[in-house]
Amino acid sequence: MNGHRLLLAKPWIWSFAATASVWIITVLFTGGASSVGLSQAALTFAAFSVIVGIGQMFVITLGPGNIDLSVPATMTLSGTLALKLMDVQDSMILVGLILSILLGAIIGLGNYALIKILKIPPIIATLSMSFIVQSTAIWTNRGLRIKPPETLASFTTSSLLGIPHVAIVALILSAFAWLLLEKTIYGRWISAIGQSTFAARMAGIPVDGTRLVTYMLCAVLASVCGYLLASFSGGAALNMGAEYLLMSIAVVVIGGTAVAGGNSNIPGIWGASLFMFLVVSMLNTYGFGAGFRLILTGLLIIAVILVAGGRRSTR
Amino acid sequence: MKLSSSAVRLIIPAASLAVLLAAVFYMQPRAMSYTGLNLLFNLAVPIALATVAQMVIMAVNDLDLSMGTFVSFCACVTATFLQASPGTGILIFLGAIAAYAAMGVIIYVRELPAIVVTLGMSFVWGGLAVLILPSPGGTAPGWARWLMTSKPPFVPMAIVASVVIALATHFLIMRSSFGVLIRGAGGNVRSVERAGWSVVKVRAAAYALAGFFAVLSGIALVGLTTSADANIALRYTLLSIAGVILGGGEFVGGKISPIGAVIGALTLALAGSFLSFMRISPDWQIGAQGAILIVVLAMRLFLNRLEKREKSR
């Protein structure tokens, strides 16, 4: 068991090592002047990736083929609808949050209904679902940009003791996710399903119920992230979730969660999210154009996975 | 009557394409002509090529999330280098195909998740495309334009091209020993290895073949659109995966069907035209496409159940 623990502990070290080195390189370039600002920005933007990443991680843990592609559409619809409902009134903040949670639960339910009842592979089921959700968002949005309520906007953009509020929210959610994963029977169940669905079923684990809850959890987290992101950026935009599709998958995998399922880790998601943001800002500070920035981002992702992936062969 | 399982695999995609086509003809009888068919299926040719490329990757149990950006990159190269100095263009394409082969090898040797490596590569191809064509532009090479707009007698070019692609890949993947090896690498790696074949070589070849088809897709796309930009084919990633699945392919086990994949791509292309004939508001176009995908897959489940019931009798 101890050796197994060590193996589990290893993967996320890599993402943090990469993050630290990128941070140092960037700060060195600017002569140390940017260290506070850079860290705050990194924490803020990483927080959004972390929230969607955790949801995606739970889904990926379920085993090969499990993935949720409806994350960006869910974020967009949730941000759009919540801002519309709140209508700039501070008294409606909680109602908006409840609406986005409900919305996430419904989308997650729909996703799993397609997967289970129609036996559609998750990747296609969530993709079809995301088309429908995206259409609904286009229909409700109508190009209008509604502002978030004053209090909510200032909450998402300000910080406590130098730590951005959204990062604190993400940290609390991560702590909950960690408890759920490591200390509850549910966490054991999803790992067991990811390692062998057949064995899990034989062992009497409610496989379908667990998978349903997982897809709902992922959609709810994406929904909450959309709610926060729309409030943070002063309004919902139709493409606001777009970059989070690849991001949510990238942070999970760079963070050291096994793509084959059955093995997840939450600290790694933080490392990977910070890494992804810092790489882009490092390349920005060095004044690279958009093309080179993309190429280097891609090569760095592959480099990290090459270094961190070595452990797989030892298993 | 006994049908082979591969034939059964084909019935559902073919039926859904026929139903969709019948619906389009019913709503717009004028589409039932040479020009009409050509317009309906024109954009299907590059999608079909990208779908076949994705299918080869899926045959070895991987998934290529960089398909869309790679086809965009190929389109940009076609509209610039291949047009201005064909030699350089061909060299770039050979390099890109070699990169695909290398990707296949690295994924296998280092036991990396294909999703992540191709995700990383999608940034690389996207970046290269932006470097080549920072703003939309370029011109299609004359021969590509000629090929894609040529008008063979009786049957429109789009249909001829789709049939050629379907048959060529069918013989390559389903009937040749090379194809058996590729599907074997997806179905049972160990048995391929035990039989004395080099899995590394098989996978390199599969990835190179996928790269080759994706290059063709980029060229075909530019032949149709006459110019390119760095984001021209981004949606091909998801379209190609959906096309393979619609065509009866599966994510694991080397279970694929080239003819089905081409039919799947045609169905997806037709769904777009179908919706515009239905006069569905643009807001709901994407949503309706999702709904069509769900309906077709539900039909497949229904037919699979019927088939099983027949067997158990």
Side-chain angles (χ1 to χ4, degrees):
Chain A
M1 192 62 208
N2 227 351
H4 197 61
R5 274 279 157 84
L6 275 176
L7 268 178
L8 278 180
K10 247 184 191 169
W12 57 268
I13 291 289
W14 292 106
S15 61
F16 276 101
T19 306
S21 48
V22 172
W23 188 85
I24 291 168
I25 294 170
T26 318
V27 170
L28 277 184
F29 183 78
T30 53
S34 65
S35 56
V36 176
L38 180 71
S39 312
Q40 278 196 341
L43 279 174
T44 308
F45 285 97
F48 297 118
S49 316
V50 165
I51 297 176
V52 286
I54 290 174
Q56 192 72 267
M57 180 198 73
F58 276 107
V59 171
I60 289 178
T61 306
L62 284 177
N66 282 295
I67 203 158
D68 188 350
L69 296 187
S70 65
V71 163
T74 308
M75 287 174 69
T76 309
L77 183 62
S78 151
T80 312
L81 280 183
L83 289 194
K84 206 166 188 174
L85 180 77
M86 292 189 286
D87 200 23
V88 213
Q89 296 166 44
D90 279 346
S91 57
M92 297 288 279
I93 291 177
L94 207 60
V95 185
L97 182 62
I98 293 171
L99 172 83
S100 72
I101 290 175
L102 273 180
L103 188 75
I106 293 169
I107 294 174
L109 191 67
N111 275 337
Y112 194 64
L114 287 179
I115 296 169
K116 180 67 194 168
I117 301 170
L118 293 184
K119 293 207 171 66
I120 302 177
I123 199 167
I124 300 290
T126 53
L127 176 68
S128 323
M129 190 52 142
S130 84
F131 284 165
I132 295 170
V133 172
Q134 182 73 20
S135 263
T136 319
I138 295 173
W139 177 65
T140 46
N141 185 299
R142 289 256 162 234
L144 290 176
R145 204 175 165 88
I146 302 170
K147 279 199 171 155
E150 201 65 44
T151 321
L152 185 60
S154 63
F155 170 78
T156 48
T157 46
S158 57
S159 50
L160 178 76
L161 299 174
I163 303 169
H165 282 142
V166 277
I168 296 175
V169 172
L171 208 57
I172 294 170
L173 286 175
S174 317
F176 270 117
W178 185 82
L179 278 178
L180 204 58
L181 198 65
E182 303 287 336
K183 300 289 168 205
T184 65
I185 185 84
Y186 166 76
R188 301 291 95 192
W189 281 348
I190 62 168
S191 294
I193 292 171
Q195 280 157 21
S196 167
T197 312
F198 181 73
R201 215 182 280 277
M202 288 295 116
I205 293 172
V207 172
D208 288 319
T210 312
R211 292 179 69 192
L212 169 68
V213 169
T214 309
Y215 274 92
M216 285 173 70
L217 189 67
C218 178
V220 166
L221 281 171
S223 206
V224 169
C225 183
Y227 171 86
L228 289 174
L229 184 62
S231 310
F232 172 79
S233 48
L238 281 178
N239 60 352
M240 65 183 233
E243 62 173 305
Y244 286 92
L245 174 58
L246 295 186
M247 189 65 92
S248 69
I249 303 171
V251 297
V252 171
V253 182
I254 294 176
T257 297
V259 181
N263 180 4
S264 39
N265 96 63
I266 288 172
I269 291 187
W270 274 92
S273 301
L274 290 167
F275 171 72
M276 292 294 284
F277 175 79
L278 285 171
V279 163
V280 175
S281 49
M282 171 183 81
L283 298 176
N284 269 332
T285 356
Y286 276 74
F288 285 112
F292 276 115
R293 218 162 56 213
L294 282 170
I295 296 173
L296 286 172
T297 311
L299 291 179
L300 275 169
I301 292 178
I302 296 176
V304 169
I305 202 76
L306 266 176
V307 174
R311 82 208 140 84
R312 277 166 225 278
S313 51
T314 60
R315 261 211 297 229
Chain B
M1 190 179 72
K2 269 223 159 177
L3 283 170
S4 67
S5 67
S6 63
V8 171
R9 213 166 261 283
L10 265 184
I11 290 176
I12 300 137
S16 32
L17 179 64
V19 169
L20 206 54
L21 199 60
V24 168
F25 284 162
Y26 175 74
M27 278 183 292
Q28 187 54 271
R30 269 177 291 178
M32 220 182 318
S33 64
Y34 188 95
T35 336
L37 278 176
N38 206 16
L39 283 175
L40 280 180
F41 288 116
N42 230 339
L43 279 172
V45 177
I47 298 178
L49 284 164
T51 306
V52 168
Q54 184 72 261
M55 184 195 71
V56 178
I57 304 264
M58 280 166 75
V60 292
N61 285 0
D62 286 349
L63 203 58
D64 186 358
L65 291 185
S66 66
M67 190 56 70
T69 45
F70 183 66
V71 173
S72 304
F73 162 76
C74 293
C76 289
V77 173
T78 308
T80 52
F81 289 107
L82 195 63
Q83 194 265 336
S85 56
T88 324
I90 290 170
L91 274 182
I92 293 177
F93 281 147
L94 287 179
I97 292 173
Y100 252 81
M103 205 158 79
V105 171
I106 289 174
I107 289 172
Y108 177 71
V109 172
R110 297 280 298 170
E111 289 182 60
L112 299 176
I115 296 183
V116 191
V117 177
T118 55
L119 193 72
M121 283 312 283
S122 80
F123 286 96
V124 174
W125 300 126
L128 287 172
V130 170
L131 283 186
I132 294 173
L133 265 183
S135 56
T139 32
W143 52 269
R145 183 88 193 120
W146 173 83
L147 189 68
M148 294 308 292
T149 54
S150 62
K151 291 194 163 59
F154 308 117
V155 189
M157 186 59 199
I159 310 276
V160 175
S162 304
V163 171
V164 169
I165 296 166
L167 288 181
T169 46
H170 178 77
F171 281 106
L172 192 60
I173 306 288
M174 308 305 280
R175 291 270 179 265
S176 75
S177 52
F178 170 64
V180 172
L181 278 181
I182 288 183
R183 286 182 291 134
N188 192 339
V189 188
R190 289 183 73 124
S191 66
V192 172
E193 228 165 16
R194 294 249 167 95
W197 298 95
S198 151
V199 179
V200 173
K201 278 184 195 160
V202 171
R203 289 182 54 99
Y207 267 77
L209 188 66
F212 173 70
F213 279 119
V215 166
L216 291 185
S217 168
I219 296 176
L221 184 59
V222 174
L224 286 171
T225 58
T226 69
S227 68
D229 87 88
N231 301 323
I232 191 166
L234 291 190
R235 61 199 187 98
Y236 278 26
T237 305
L238 297 178
L239 272 182
S240 62
I241 299 172
V244 176
I245 298 297
L246 269 184
E250 271 161 47
F251 283 104
V252 285
K255 284 183 193 158
I256 47 161
S257 155
I259 299 180
V262 172
I263 293 178
L266 292 181
T267 312
L268 284 173
L270 194 61
S273 316
F274 172 72
L275 293 172
S276 54
F277 284 135
M278 286 270 285
R279 300 230 174 83
I280 286 180
S281 120
D283 290 357
W284 291 101
Q285 288 260 355
I286 326 172
Q289 223 151 3
I292 288 183
L293 210 56
I294 294 172
V295 169
V296 171
L297 288 169
M299 243 162 61
R300 173 164 135 187
L301 173 77
F302 179 69
L303 286 175
N304 277 349
R305 285 220 174 126
L306 277 188
E307 186 204 349
K308 261 187 201 148
R309 206 171 296 163
E310 289 286 314
K311 268 186 188 162
S312 61
R313 237 176 229 173

